[in-house]
Amino acid sequence: MTEFTENSREYSSFNLGNVTFNCGDTILVKGASSMEYVADIVRVFTNNDRDVYVELKWFYRPEDLPGGRQEHHGAEEVLRSNHRDIVSARVVEGLCAVLPMPEYEERQAKGQAVFRDGQALPTFFWRSNYNVKTRKITRPPKKFCVCRRPYNPDKLMVCCDSCDSWYHAKCMGMNEEEALEPGKEWHCLKCIETGKVPRAKAEKLLQETEANTAVRTLAGTKKGEQPAKRAKLQAKKKKKKQQQQPQPPKTARRHKQKGDAS
Ligand SMILES: [Zn+2]
Ligand SMILES: [Zn+2]
């Protein structure tokens, strides 16, 4: 196994094809399956062989977690981990970006890609950490809704007009069209039950929704009687990302690659 020792030579960057990778860059790494791995470059070095090595700190995909992918995980979600590895620079596939979730959502909403040297980068978002030693998720995302699960930025949420609490549209039994219906109000059952909504209005809503049934029946009213919902939609605005996949250097280029390290 390759190690960084006192005899190793450290570099601040390396070149692969026509792309320069710097320490601190986030990269895609070839995986065993079709899915690429995501990691930060911590260190670049050479030993007394002809290879360039990178020490990486991995991001975990939800699929790599003990519990696997959950309902609340976004398609482009990754978790920052404390798992490090040293690999040959030849397995590096290309640059990518991992943004904190608020910035990711803002860019998604505006259709703004992350660019590097004129190329749009594959972009992921991060909100939680994963500790590989304890196998625990730290910084778990905030929970919402009657299901007490986190928010998935790819899916619709509806907001109560009384308490401003957010609920998953799906948990409220709403489809996209219902959740995005503009103009009217929507109140959660909690607000209706606790009298936060004015009595007359609450009675009307309760009548419409059969007061004693589960909250999900709120949306089970017929069309036209439907209370309106404020909603936000991220998924629709999603821009197709441009994939950039530089070829790994051929064997003959290995020596040059070492010389390229600066
Ligand atoms: Zn829910
Ligand atoms: Zn409410």
Side-chain angles (χ1 to χ4, degrees):
M1 198 191 134
T2 306
E3 281 182 2
F4 179 81
T5 68
E6 55 184 15
N7 296 320
S8 302
R9 245 188 104 184
E10 220 175 326
Y11 301 88
S12 60
S13 67
F14 67 96
N15 297 325
L16 201 57
N18 53 4
V19 182
T20 300
F21 297 87
N22 302 305
C23 284
D25 280 349
T26 309
I27 53 163
L28 291 171
V29 176
K30 265 175 237 143
S33 63
S34 61
M35 204 161 65
E36 294 138 324
Y37 297 115
V38 181
D40 279 340
I41 299 176
V42 177
R43 193 175 358 221
V44 179
F45 66 95
T46 56
N47 284 340
N48 287 327
D49 55 25
R50 290 181 157 194
D51 226 338
V52 175
Y53 297 99
V54 283
E55 184 173 344
L56 301 176
K57 209 167 157 195
W58 298 106
F59 284 92
Y60 271 51
R61 302 260 194 175
E63 285 80 359
D64 302 325
L65 301 174
R69 178 172 282 277
Q70 307 288 315
E71 178 88 22
H72 66 265
H73 287 129
E76 309 299 347
E77 180 161 3
V78 289
L79 291 87
R80 193 183 286 281
S81 88
N82 54 353
H83 182 174
R84 290 179 182 227
D85 272 327
I86 291 169
V87 300
S88 162
R90 282 172 293 135
V91 302
V92 175
E93 196 124 290
L95 291 163
C96 68
V98 175
L99 304 176
M101 193 171 80
E103 191 187 337
Y104 173 83
E105 287 198 275
E106 208 182 312
R107 282 178 176 272
Q108 288 284 312
K110 293 178 185 165
Q112 285 176 345
V114 179
F115 285 92
R116 169 91 167 254
D117 300 329
Q119 294 275 350
L121 301 181
T123 304
F124 303 87
F125 77 86
W126 156 84
R127 60 178 161 178
S128 302
N129 297 334
Y130 179 63
N131 186 329
V132 286
K133 290 178 186 110
T134 60
R135 291 167 65 86
K136 289 252 157 60
I137 292 167
T138 52
R139 270 183 68 106
K142 202 180 154 194
K143 290 170 180 166
F144 298 91
C145 192
V146 289
C147 66
R148 302 314 298 158
R149 285 205 201 134
Y151 158 58
N152 179 340
D154 298 336
K155 292 182 180 163
L156 277 169
M157 297 284 282
V158 290
C159 184
C160 172
D161 284 309
S162 295
C163 65
D164 280 338
S165 299
W166 289 92
Y167 294 83
H168 302 109
K170 196 182 166 194
C171 293
M172 297 297 106
M174 295 179 208
N175 61 30
E176 201 170 283
E177 191 191 335
E178 288 167 335
L180 289 171
E181 192 184 323
K184 291 184 204 164
E185 293 171 35
W186 180 76
H187 302 274
C188 70
L189 194 62
K190 203 165 139 193
C191 285
I192 294 171
E193 280 176 340
T194 55
K196 254 188 149 186
V197 184
R199 184 173 291 267
K201 192 187 277 177
E203 273 171 10
K204 189 168 174 280
L205 287 171
L206 284 170
Q207 226 173 23
E208 283 173 359
T209 57
E210 298 167 9
N212 298 322
T213 55
V215 68
R216 63 176 57 232
T217 62
L218 247 183
T221 50
K222 280 184 211 120
K223 257 209 131 101
E225 300 173 340
Q226 191 75 268
K229 311 97 199 164
R230 259 195 287 153
K232 56 176 173 178
L233 178 63
Q234 306 287 349
K236 263 191 171 173
K237 292 170 188 162
K238 244 184 182 174
K239 288 269 184 297
K240 269 219 155 138
K241 67 186 178 194
Q242 286 176 4
Q243 289 276 0
Q244 177 209 17
Q245 292 181 350
Q247 291 301 306
K250 305 222 162 46
T251 318
R253 214 190 274 160
R254 276 169 68 190
H255 186 67
K256 189 166 169 271
Q257 182 193 334
K258 185 187 173 188
D260 281 350
S262 52

